[in-house]
Amino acid sequence: MTVLNPSKSRNRTGARKKLARAKFFISYRRSEADSLTFADAIRKRLEEENHETFIDTGMVLGTDWPDEIAERIGWCDYLIVLLSEAATASEMVQAEVRLAHHRRKREHKPEILPIRMNYSGPLDYELDSYLARIQYVMWESADDSEKIIQQILRRAEGEKSRPAPVPAPPVPPVDLKRPQPKVDPRLLSAPDGNVQEDDPFYIARRADEIVTRTANTGRGETLVIKGPRKMGKSSLLVRYLGECQRQGMKVAFLDFSNFADAELENLSTLLREMACTIGEAFGVSLTTDAVFTVPRHLTYFIQNQVLPVSGGPVIFAFDEVDRVLGKPYQGDFFYMLRTWHENRGKDLRGRWKRAGLAMVISTEPYLLIESASRSPFNVSDPVVLSAFDLPMCRMLNERYGSPLGPGEVEELQELLRGHPYLTRLALYRVVTKDIVSDFAELVARSADRNGPFGEHLRALLMLLRDKRDLLEGMRRLIKSEERPSQELCDRLEGAGLVRSEGQRVVPANLVYARFFKGNL
């Protein structure tokens, strides 16, 4: 029942004695009665037409089924997948479609034929990413079975009638003795934190051109860098500030991730800490009686004591300002930054004209401050950091010594959706054989708690468990339930957990989809 070899097929079809023509893998949820009945009907009709079939109900006792499934996916010309509501959540069905999808991208087969089994609802995110562009047919009752089987048979006949593809020219043998490029082991460190300006693995994006152009104006500008967590925002800010310094500008850098919770507890404490950091950058000491209870006190300190001694253009840079989200003073704080921007056009002495602002945020600005007239984030178009596209992933692979082949780079880009940090971490793992031995193992273990991305995934899970509303919103998205509120979606996107796809909000990449499905 499982696999018919050509000799068995000729015996079953009697006088026709034809050679087997096409190979079909039938994927379905075994516990579904309708799917089981229809899968068996498809198998019988295909075999009657002398096609070969594989269906997992007939595997011999003792078969190593994961290896057998993988082998048969590599064997078939067509994958027929029966998508009942239960099948869309089946890890086995997902794994079979995943293997077929990746093989098709490499070898242009098998062709995937989706059949929806009386189910028109949403697919699991991962399945949808593989099947969304493929036309499906709908099975609503047994009355549809014969019509659909006929479509399958016509599809196979159409494939048979196509002209044979022109074989590709032979690939010259690889000279195994020739040295292959290798990454200098002294440069190999686990990617984390900011990527420094001289880092050989830094991949420039369009955002780099924008911030370089802004720095080269040599005057006070307001720059907002926006993007989800771990997308390279802080690294881009470091590069921007480096270019500003090369243009002769002085910089005061305030990284809110380094501020203790107590320093962010109230506005007065925060303002004083900011004054200390800014004063130190410009050699201005605070007096013991200096008072910073309201935003204008810090504004006057900068205007009257810092800017007069700056000697030229200055940049006040703020990283991780999202940390004030939810604080009772957040509106007053961000309005203070807005006034610094507006002072450039109001200051008759010209001091503020030389003062620029640079701010890094992950959160949607309206969540930080509702009033547009009091927000510093709408005074210029934000520089939005995008994920790596396929050419960028190829470039990064080359810089790591090309440990992945062309098809593997494409598979990695699809798995991670070009997530900059995870892409670099994946290549580091493969090159150093840290945690995984090769790319195949990295893909297989990508969503494991202790796998190649395990520390990162566990940290995200802790982030969610600390914020119950985000946890519930992510759970509903993963399980394709009712969409959370727009505010929750925006906060999840700012955390780097989801992304927008037109009108839909989906997990940021396949690794997140698989991990959170099993851990929420």
Side-chain angles (χ1 to χ4, degrees):
M1 180 176 177
T2 304
V3 181
L4 295 181
N5 61 35
S7 61
K8 289 183 179 179
S9 295
R10 286 195 296 272
N11 290 336
R12 292 176 72 103
T13 53
R16 282 182 290 177
K17 294 191 180 294
K18 299 177 183 178
L19 292 176
R21 296 184 291 177
K23 304 178 183 70
F24 288 84
F25 185 116
I26 304 173
S27 174
Y28 66 103
R29 180 71 180 266
R30 292 178 63 177
S31 60
E32 294 282 308
D34 287 340
S35 295
L36 176 60
T37 300
F38 188 36
D40 195 51
I42 294 172
R43 177 193 64 80
K44 289 177 180 177
R45 287 296 303 279
L46 289 172
E47 292 174 2
E48 288 171 2
E49 295 299 323
N50 223 49
H51 299 296
E52 293 188 66
T53 63
F54 175 85
I55 189 167
D56 66 358
T57 54
M59 280 194 285
V60 177
L61 181 65
T63 300
D64 186 335
W65 64 265
D67 286 347
E68 179 74 1
I69 293 294
E71 181 180 341
R72 291 302 177 178
I73 293 292
W75 158 89
C76 68
D77 303 305
Y78 296 90
L79 175 85
I80 299 172
V81 55
L82 307 186
L83 295 169
S84 65
E85 183 173 6
T88 64
S90 166
E91 292 187 14
M92 196 67 237
V93 171
Q94 292 169 13
E96 290 164 355
V97 174
R98 182 189 310 137
L99 288 169
H101 170 79
H102 289 309
R103 182 190 168 217
R104 181 168 179 79
K105 297 197 77 167
R106 294 190 306 269
E107 305 173 23
H108 307 294
K109 67 175 186 178
E111 185 171 347
I112 302 175
L113 306 177
I115 301 172
R116 285 186 174 242
M117 299 295 294
N118 200 26
Y119 175 67
S120 59
L123 297 178
D124 168 89
Y125 167 69
E126 183 173 5
L127 276 179
D128 187 68
S129 70
Y130 300 145
L131 303 178
R133 298 184 181 181
I134 301 176
Q135 182 61 49
Y136 64 85
V137 294
M138 177 68 75
W139 183 97
E140 294 180 331
S141 70
D143 294 339
D144 297 321
S145 297
E146 179 60 26
K147 177 180 63 178
I148 293 174
I149 289 172
Q150 288 296 329
Q151 290 186 54
I152 295 172
L153 292 171
R154 285 196 297 272
R155 190 75 179 181
E157 290 295 331
E159 184 70 24
K160 179 188 174 185
S161 64
R162 294 180 187 176
V166 177
V171 179
V174 178
D175 181 4
L176 297 178
K177 296 181 181 179
R178 187 175 64 184
Q180 299 297 310
K182 288 188 177 180
V183 176
D184 186 336
R186 292 170 298 177
L187 302 177
L188 281 177
S189 58
D192 200 7
N194 295 346
V195 179
Q196 300 303 312
E197 285 193 86
D198 59 350
D199 194 303
F201 302 110
Y202 185 83
I203 301 296
R205 289 168 273 181
R206 182 174 178 274
D208 290 81
E209 300 176 11
I210 297 174
V211 301
T212 299
R213 190 162 60 245
T214 302
N216 286 337
T217 63
R219 61 177 185 270
E221 300 281 357
T222 297
L223 176 72
V224 178
I225 299 174
K226 179 178 177 294
R229 292 180 71 254
K230 292 290 190 179
M231 288 292 285
K233 303 182 302 301
S234 297
S235 298
L236 184 62
L237 177 64
V238 167
R239 302 177 93 77
Y240 170 69
L241 297 180
E243 187 62 34
C244 287
Q245 289 176 321
R246 285 188 286 274
Q247 298 297 323
M249 306 175 76
K250 293 185 178 180
V251 171
F253 179 42
L254 295 92
D255 186 352
F256 277 42
S257 66
N258 292 331
F259 281 31
D261 289 340
E263 295 168 336
L264 296 171
E265 187 63 30
N266 60 70
L267 182 58
S268 177
T269 304
L270 173 60
L271 294 175
R272 184 170 185 85
E273 291 301 322
M274 291 175 63
C276 289
T277 303
I278 293 171
E280 183 178 357
F282 290 91
V284 177
S285 300
L286 296 184
T287 60
T288 55
D289 60 347
V291 176
F292 297 91
T293 55
V294 293
R296 70 173 180 274
H297 293 158
L298 179 59
T299 300
Y300 292 156
F301 169 72
I302 293 173
Q303 178 177 297
N304 298 326
Q305 298 187 54
V306 173
L307 294 179
V309 301
S310 63
V314 301
I315 296 290
F316 300 107
F318 301 88
D319 197 3
E320 298 284 351
V321 291
D322 306 74
R323 284 200 67 194
V324 305
L325 178 64
K327 302 295 184 184
Y329 59 78
Q330 70 178 50
D332 292 336
F333 171 79
F334 287 119
Y335 184 53
M336 175 185 70
L337 300 185
R338 170 75 176 235
T339 63
W340 294 4
H341 165 82
E342 292 178 342
N343 283 346
R344 288 205 296 266
K346 298 177 181 178
D347 182 18
L348 297 180
R349 297 182 182 181
R351 294 174 181 173
W352 284 100
K353 289 181 180 179
R354 300 174 296 174
L357 287 174
M359 296 169 285
V360 171
I361 58 171
S362 298
T363 308
E364 282 295 320
Y366 80 89
L367 294 174
L368 296 170
I369 181 167
E370 293 181 359
S371 174
S373 63
R374 296 173 65 86
S375 173
F377 304 114
N378 58 8
V379 298
S380 62
D381 291 334
V383 178
V384 180
L385 272 174
S386 59
F388 287 168
D389 58 20
L390 185 56
M392 291 175 183
C393 291
R394 288 171 176 156
M395 185 184 303
L396 187 60
N397 182 54
E398 291 173 1
R399 294 189 185 181
Y400 271 92
S402 299
L404 306 185
E408 291 175 326
V409 175
E410 189 171 347
E411 185 175 349
L412 181 66
Q413 201 272 342
E414 184 177 72
L415 178 73
L416 302 175
R417 297 292 181 187
H419 190 294
Y421 168 71
L422 292 181
T423 300
R424 182 169 169 178
L425 181 59
L427 289 166
Y428 169 82
R429 297 287 192 222
V430 172
V431 168
T432 61
K433 300 191 182 303
D434 177 34
I435 298 181
V436 296
S437 59
D438 55 22
F439 179 67
E441 185 181 357
L442 179 133
V443 173
R445 298 183 59 199
S446 60
D448 290 357
R449 294 174 66 95
N450 298 307
F453 310 121
E455 186 174 348
H456 173 74
L457 295 173
R458 293 193 302 272
L460 291 179
L461 190 59
M462 289 179 63
L463 169 70
L464 284 177
R465 287 177 174 166
D466 285 342
K467 301 181 183 298
R468 305 301 298 181
D469 55 343
L470 290 185
L471 177 68
E472 181 58 29
M474 191 67 180
R475 180 183 287 119
R476 286 159 62 185
L477 282 174
I478 288 292
K479 295 186 177 181
S480 299
E481 297 175 355
E482 181 184 355
R483 173 175 164 154
S485 68
Q486 188 61 50
E487 177 181 333
L488 272 180
C489 289
D490 288 338
R491 288 172 60 195
L492 287 168
E493 189 164 2
L497 295 168
V498 304
R499 61 189 174 87
S500 298
E501 258 188 12
Q503 298 300 313
R504 299 193 313 155
V505 176
V506 298
N509 54 62
L510 293 177
V511 171
Y512 289 0
R514 296 172 192 169
F515 175 76
F516 287 116
K517 182 186 296 183
N519 289 276
L520 290 184

